[in-house]
């Protein structure tokens, strides 16, 4: 449930995470492959909305479709935004664990991101065996979860038809 912080506090609700920023773009360049420039714009807009910089982010729950074209495009988008900070960013995709849940995928990935930030543990990208040379220097969390230090992350959803969304989330 999303609600304003003051209302949640007023009713004594436990705060498990916060939506700090939101960015969206539409590229419509290709029905199936995200455009890295427009995807990176969604991430940049979310960071600007949150009034944060790339160096503030410790974890990224990547959209991670598992297709070469889309994963390379997302890696390029992350590289465009995070630049020299990219190797320090823990990146994982949880789709291999829960599958692609169509319209619910982004919601589940946002929940996983908040849980990861609360526990200080980036979930694994299961079945990850070795880095793809076509990918930028992504710090992909392999088959075993890894600790993260910090409380702010992003969750990306780059959908069919060119609708891109990035959320900046944090532990309370």
């Amino acid at each position: 449930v999303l609600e304003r912080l003051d209302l949640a506090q007023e009713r004594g609700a436990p705060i498990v995470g916060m939506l700090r920023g939101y960015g969206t773009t539409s590229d419509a360049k290709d029905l199936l492959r995200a455009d890295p420039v427009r995807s990176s714009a969604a991430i940049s807009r979310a960071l600007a909305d949150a009034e944060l910089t790339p160096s503030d982010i410790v974890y990224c729950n990547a959209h991670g479709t598992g297709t070469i074209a889309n994963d390379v495009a997302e890696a390029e988008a992350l590289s465009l935004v995070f630049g020299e900070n990219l190797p320090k960013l823990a990146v994982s995709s949880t789709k291999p664990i829960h599958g692609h849940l169509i319209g619910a995928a982004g919601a589940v990935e946002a929940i996983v991101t908040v849980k990861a930030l609360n526990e200080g543990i980036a979930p694994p990208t299961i079945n990850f065996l070795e880095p793809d040379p076509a990918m930028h220097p992504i710090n992909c969390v392999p088959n075993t979860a890894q600790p993260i230090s910090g409380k702010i992350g992003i969750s990306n959803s780059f959908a069919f038809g060119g609708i891109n969304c990035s959320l900046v989330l944090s532990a309370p």
Side-chain angles (χ1 to χ4, degrees):
V1 174
L2 288 175
E3 67 180 305
R4 285 189 356 217
L5 180 59
D6 61 331
L7 296 176
Q9 290 170 328
E10 184 178 298
R11 67 182 187 83
I15 311 299
V16 296
M18 298 180 72
L19 175 60
R20 306 271 304 264
Y22 168 81
T24 188
T25 60
S26 176
D27 56 55
K29 179 178 179 180
D30 186 296
L31 181 62
L32 303 177
R33 183 180 185 268
D35 176 9
V37 172
R38 300 302 296 152
S39 297
S40 69
I43 298 168
S44 294
R45 287 179 181 179
L47 288 169
D49 187 43
E51 299 179 351
L52 296 169
T53 67
S55 63
D56 295 317
I57 308 300
V58 298
Y59 172 66
C60 171
N61 189 301
H63 188 63
T65 61
T67 65
I68 293 171
N70 280 310
D71 288 354
V72 169
E74 185 167 9
E76 187 176 334
L78 289 169
S79 182
L80 288 169
V81 175
F82 289 92
E84 64 186 33
N85 291 316
L86 185 58
K88 300 173 196 163
L89 178 69
V91 179
S92 65
S93 173
T94 53
K95 271 198 194 62
I97 298 168
H98 55 70
H100 200 310
L101 304 169
I102 312 302
V108 169
E109 291 163 353
I111 291 166
V112 168
T113 302
V114 168
K115 184 97 169 138
L117 295 167
N118 275 302
E119 294 183 4
I121 299 173
T125 304
I126 62 170
N127 302 318
F128 177 83
L129 302 175
E130 62 186 56
D132 185 329
M135 305 288 266
H136 293 273
I138 298 283
N139 176 17
C140 187
V141 179
N143 283 309
T144 307
Q146 74 180 33
I148 52 176
S149 130
K151 296 292 182 186
I152 305 172
I154 62 170
S155 180
N156 292 330
S157 295
F158 304 143
F160 285 143
I163 303 301
N164 308 306
C165 174
S166 189
L167 302 177
V168 176
L169 301 157
S170 72

